[in-house]
Amino acid sequence: MTDQSENTTPQSATSEPMWMDSEGRYVPLSRVSEADQMKDELVRRLTATAKQMSDSLRAFKESSLSEVMAAKDLLFEKYGARIGGAQGNVTFRSFDGSLEVEVAVSKRISFGPELQAAKALIDECIEDWAEGGNANIRALVEHAFQVNKQGRIDTGRVLGLRKLDMKTAEGKPDPKWDKAMSAISDAIRVDGSATYIRFYERDEQTGRMDQIVLNIASL
């Protein structure tokens, strides 16, 4: 039905092509249903196109970043001033303000074992504040410590706990909570950074700068 060179082995003694199944076994083509052959062809063809598009997007990102950084260096050299914000973030706008190119550098953060100590201290705080623990606070904390789809704790939710001004049942600052927040700070590990480039276009009706979506899953 299609060229299955990635999935076949040299022809058998009967000159019949053999296809490998999901368990690594070779199956005569005559035993592969037309429906399975159709699905195989569809998946291979679309995946090949997706890989080509991925390669093109990767090349576009690299060339775009290179051009933006070159423009930034040129402006720096011309004016002798720092261009951009903290960590190398920078935004360029078109003359009419309708288009933007933004480069953002984001730190990759994970947590060390101190995080478990922080969780234990927070649990103790909840028990101290109300008999059996305040259900709303407990739900908030459990949500913060849940893992995401990648099996990692969401750093934003955990770090957000540090913004909460928690007090004892008597309304005084809770030293145990403060100690837990210190443990969270001590648990932070910076694993490196990632550089993102984003493109925006102004919506003429709302005036809002909308991001130009390059992630196919978000379209």
Side-chain angles (χ1 to χ4, degrees), residues 37-205:
Q37 292 184 49
M38 181 272 292
K39 289 184 290 184
D40 185 278
E41 185 276 335
L42 175 69
V43 171
R44 291 181 184 279
R45 175 168 47 80
L46 294 182
T47 301
T49 303
K51 290 173 67 176
Q52 292 174 358
M53 294 178 64
S54 177
D55 290 341
S56 297
L57 283 174
R58 185 179 298 107
F60 172 67
K61 175 184 177 182
E62 292 174 356
S63 64
S64 297
L65 282 173
S66 178
E67 289 192 47
V68 170
M69 292 299 102
K72 179 180 176 182
D73 291 341
L74 181 63
L75 291 172
F76 180 87
E77 180 180 347
K78 181 176 181 179
Y79 296 107
R82 180 180 178 85
I83 305 297
Q87 299 180 352
N89 296 348
V90 63
T91 299
F92 286 96
R93 295 181 179 85
S94 62
F95 188 70
D96 65 357
S98 65
L99 301 171
E100 289 184 0
V101 177
E102 174 193 68
V103 172
V105 180
S106 176
K107 292 181 178 179
R108 288 193 293 265
I109 295 175
S110 62
F111 295 105
E114 297 88 349
L115 190 65
Q116 300 305 317
K119 178 64 163 58
L121 287 168
I122 292 173
D123 287 340
E124 292 180 22
C125 288
I126 296 173
E127 294 297 334
D128 291 342
W129 293 334
E131 183 177 354
N134 184 290
N136 293 330
I137 296 298
R138 184 174 295 281
L140 175 66
V141 170
E142 292 299 330
H143 176 70
F145 283 88
Q146 285 180 352
V147 297
N148 57 24
K149 293 181 179 179
Q150 289 73 40
R152 297 169 62 91
I153 290 177
D154 188 302
T155 56
R157 291 200 298 248
V158 172
L159 296 179
L161 293 174
R162 299 188 300 175
K163 299 179 181 180
L164 301 179
D165 183 20
M166 295 300 191
K167 301 185 184 300
T168 64
E170 293 76 26
K172 298 179 180 180
D174 193 322
K176 191 175 293 184
W177 177 267
D178 293 339
K179 190 174 181 179
M181 296 304 100
S182 295
I184 289 178
S185 297
D186 292 341
I188 296 174
R189 303 286 187 271
V190 179
D191 297 330
S193 62
T195 302
Y196 302 92
I197 184 166
R198 303 182 180 96
F199 302 86
Y200 297 88
E201 184 175 26
R202 184 169 61 204
D203 186 311
E204 296 300 333
Q205 294 184 343

Side-chain angles (χ1 to χ4, degrees), residues 50 53 57 213-219:
M53 294 178 64
L57 283 174
V213 179
L214 297 177
N215 178 1
I216 189 173
S218 301
L219 292 174

Side-chain angles (χ1 to χ4, degrees), residues 1-9 17-19 29 37-45 48:
M1 189 176 199
T2 58
D3 178 12
Q4 303 293 334
S5 57
E6 297 183 12
N7 196 35
T8 61
T9 189
M18 305 288 285
W19 279 22
L29 180 58
Q37 292 184 49
M38 181 272 292
K39 289 184 290 184
D40 185 278
E41 185 276 335
L42 175 69
V43 171
R44 291 181 184 279
R45 175 168 47 80

